[in-house]
Amino acid sequence: MSIEALINEHYDYLNENDQHISQYIIKHEEECKRLSITQLAEATLTSKSSILRFTQKLGLSGYSEFKYALKQQHTYRKEESSFVAMQQEDLLQTAKLFNQQNIIPAFTSGALI
């Protein structure tokens, strides 16, 4: 699951400080992949403890798991778009198969009744 999805899922539990942190992360995703917890705290004008509590509110064990999830979401997005492309191709092939078949006799012969 992407970090943005986790933030949306747990948004009701985030305080104003957490929301500020989440907005920074969403706007600076690539940069955040390289930041230490101290650097992220400085960038968001918060403390290391605030960052740690924020990650835990998202259901993560800590900052290490947060950074791992942040780095993995690119892979997740790629897989998600690949899955959607496969589904689209399947639908196109199914439509093509229906167009190639002559299904009128099946309806007129009473075979389905």
Side-chain angles (χ1 to χ4, degrees), residues 33-99:
K33 291 177 184 179
R34 297 181 298 276
L35 297 179
S36 68
I37 190 170
T38 305
Q39 292 169 321
L40 182 56
E42 288 173 3
T44 57
L45 305 174
T46 60
S47 66
K48 291 190 298 184
S49 298
S50 294
I51 302 295
L52 184 59
R53 282 191 300 271
F54 167 75
T55 62
Q56 291 170 339
K57 286 180 185 178
L58 298 182
L60 304 170
S61 62
Y63 191 70
S64 295
E65 187 177 6
F66 165 77
K67 281 196 57 171
Y68 178 78
L70 194 59
K71 290 176 182 177
Q72 290 301 310
Q73 74 182 7
H74 175 70
T75 303
Y76 174 77
R77 286 181 185 149
K78 227 167 110 175
E79 289 172 357
E80 189 176 68
S81 66
S82 175
F83 177 75
V84 169
M86 284 178 18
Q87 293 294 336
Q88 288 174 331
E89 181 61 28
D90 283 349
L91 289 171
L92 288 172
Q93 291 299 325
T94 301
K96 185 177 176 182
L97 182 64
F98 273 114
N99 287 333

